[in-house]
Amino acid sequence: MTAKIIDGKAIAAEFNAETRELAFRVAGEFYRQPGLAVVLVGDDPASQVYVRNKIRTSAETGIRSELHRLPATATTAEVLELVARLNADPAVDGILVQSPPPPQVDEAEVIRAIDPDKDVDCFSERNVGRLLIGHDSGFRPCTPWGVMELLRRSGCDPAGKHAVVVGRSNIVGKPMAALLMQKAAGANATVTVVHSGTVEPERYARQADILIAAIGRPNFVTGNWIKPGAVVIDVGINRVVDPDTGRSRLTGDVNFDEAVEIASAITPVPGGVGPMTVAVLMRNAVTAAMLHLRMCR
């Protein structure tokens, strides 16, 4: 068996085209584009690449973006001051503070300071709580919802299936499990979460109809973790050095070469989950604009 490749770039392009239509409708109804503010603290190379991708995609989807740069020496107080200004700016519908900030910045405090109505990452306690109880607040966590869209648009309905999530982070693992188990169309899975404290995690992984790897360790999930015919979603993005060339390259949390011979479908890295994460961020920005502008009428 050779797995079908789930093309995240193609699915994200389709999703972004729909977002662009929504953004144009917002602009036509309210006479301005949705506005997204991106805050970058420091000069981490990977963060700069991610921010460039977000700024470029915002332009492609009809969203006005503004980039706010702070030096690597910025304090928590300085970041909070900027966030407060953006919270009060009526032209800013969504706020994204690129993660991770430098170590001296208290990221949790910064997240708490963002107006939940502008929290397009869906990290705030209010929005996470609403997600957990199934409340349709409009915002969805970017990477987990991107995974749900990849499953839906590639023809994999989680209903009645056993989904195993590898990883329990607040950004991916926990909200991923919550979305999969929701009593809603496109969800209704039975969910197991394995993590660093799980004994024999591969034993649970081998039971999965849908296996989602989000643990942040390159090639951690090997072929013997995968049930024949399972759908494998690789959330990991790890930069490793190729021993043959000495050059760095991106790889996922799943050993792709082994998994592709066992799974029925799989996402590649890069070109799988990553583009959908950015696509959902853009949709959240447009949703924020619709909520904000209608409240201001």
Side-chain angles (χ1 to χ4, degrees):
M1 175 188 297
T2 300
K4 167 191 171 184
I5 305 301
I6 300 174
D7 188 341
K9 288 183 178 179
I11 294 174
E14 175 185 285
F15 194 85
N16 284 333
E18 296 165 8
T19 299
R20 182 178 173 84
E21 288 184 17
L22 286 174
F24 283 169
R25 268 193 273 168
V26 170
E29 183 176 353
F30 297 101
Y31 304 105
R32 78 160 174 84
Q33 290 176 286
L36 173 66
V38 181
V39 178
L40 177 61
V41 186
D43 50 10
D44 176 74
S47 291
Q48 292 188 67
V49 171
Y50 297 147
V51 165
R52 281 199 300 271
N53 288 341
K54 290 166 184 174
I55 296 294
R56 184 186 68 247
T57 307
S58 68
E60 293 171 353
T61 51
I63 298 166
R64 180 191 63 81
S65 62
E66 52 187 59
L67 175 59
H68 298 264
R69 292 180 179 270
L70 291 175
T73 56
T75 64
T76 299
E78 289 171 327
V79 180
L80 292 176
E81 181 184 359
L82 173 57
V83 167
R85 292 204 308 270
L86 297 173
N87 281 340
D89 187 343
V92 172
D93 302 302
I95 301 170
L96 161 71
V97 179
Q98 182 62 38
S99 180
Q104 78 277 5
V105 175
D106 187 334
E107 186 172 16
E109 189 174 352
V110 171
I111 290 170
R112 284 194 296 270
I114 297 172
D115 182 344
D117 289 331
K118 298 188 177 188
D119 169 36
V120 289
D121 263 331
C122 196
F123 286 168
S124 72
E125 293 171 358
R126 190 192 78 178
N127 289 332
V128 171
R130 287 182 169 185
L131 164 70
L132 191 61
I133 65 173
H135 185 285
D136 185 11
S137 64
F139 296 142
R140 291 151 177 159
C142 296
T143 297
W145 191 259
V147 170
M148 298 299 285
E149 286 292 328
L150 287 173
L151 291 172
R152 182 174 75 85
R153 294 176 187 239
S154 62
C156 178
D157 186 355
K161 295 183 173 67
H162 184 194
V164 175
V165 179
V166 184
R168 56 179 169 182
S169 71
N170 289 333
I171 294 175
V172 181
K174 291 176 184 177
M176 188 77 255
L179 283 173
L180 284 162
M181 72 173 70
Q182 291 297 327
K183 188 176 181 181
N188 282 306
T190 299
V191 182
T192 299
V193 178
V194 303
H195 45 74
S196 58
T198 303
V199 177
E200 296 184 70
E202 64 276 16
R203 178 164 60 92
Y204 300 97
R206 280 194 295 269
Q207 301 172 29
D209 303 305
I210 301 170
L211 181 62
I212 300 170
I215 202 165
R217 295 175 63 180
N219 299 314
F220 184 75
V221 174
T222 55
N224 66 345
W225 285 51
I226 299 167
K227 173 182 174 181
V231 174
V232 177
I233 306 292
D234 191 349
V235 177
I237 301 179
N238 310 285
R239 189 165 289 280
V240 299
V241 175
D242 189 318
D244 296 327
T245 65
R247 296 179 180 176
S248 66
R249 59 180 176 84
L250 293 178
T251 190
D253 291 351
V254 176
N255 186 314
F256 183 87
D257 291 341
E258 294 181 9
V260 76
E261 299 299 329
I262 301 168
S264 62
I266 188 170
T267 57
V269 177
V273 175
M276 280 306 303
T277 296
V278 178
V280 172
L281 173 67
M282 298 304 128
R283 182 67 60 87
N284 281 347
V286 175
T287 298
M290 290 190 290
L291 296 172
H292 178 209
L293 292 167
R294 283 170 184 163
M295 282 192 299
C296 292
R297 271 185 162 173

